[in-house]
Amino acid sequence: MYDQPRPNAQPAMTFDQMLERVRYEGAYPVRERATEAVHHVMTALGRQLTNDEHVDLAQALPVEAALTLTARIPDAEHLTGWGFVKDLAARTGVSPAVARWDTRAVLAVVTRLAGSELIARILGQLPDDYALLFGQAQLRRPEPAAA
């Protein structure tokens, strides 16, 4: 799906710059830890996104991150935000607290790269509790009035 550099596209930051931002956000002592976090979170997020949002987010990311995001076929069913964190923890062998920390560090940078419009579209596709993972306020969707 995304195996070639985008022609005429200038990413907002290079992959090295992205890793340094994630390292800063996550307060990771070494760059390798930031690299691991980016790989794991982007792979997990790629399993949750579909449609145009999947493609548009890949285009907003540095090529290396985009390749990780698009490496997996999206799952048929979305996990909740907490389910995303628990699944990430199970797949990577870390505690849910560490998985949550990694998710927040990576998605803080992804949010900057993607911009508010795309993040709003992504959050519209995912269950409500993902907003907190992206550092956004969690707003409840209005429920239909009972007749």
Side-chain angles (χ1 to χ4, degrees), residues 54-73:
H54 196 234
V55 174
D56 292 347
L57 181 57
Q59 290 176 341
L61 299 172
V63 172
E64 297 88 339
L67 289 171
T68 302
L69 177 77
T70 60
R72 302 269 190 246
I73 295 172

Side-chain angles (χ1 to χ4, degrees), residues 11-27:
M13 65 177 67
T14 66
F15 188 63
D16 288 337
Q17 291 168 328
M18 181 182 183
L19 291 178
E20 285 306 312
R21 289 299 311 162
V22 170
R23 183 177 176 194
Y24 175 80
E25 291 289 337

Side-chain angles (χ1 to χ4, degrees), residues 44 47-50 73-80 87 125-127 130:
R47 288 191 297 268
Q48 297 302 304
L49 296 179
T50 58
I73 295 172
D75 291 343
E77 211 172 299
H78 292 304
L79 298 171
T80 64
D87 183 63
Q125 181 186 86
L126 297 170
Y130 272 83

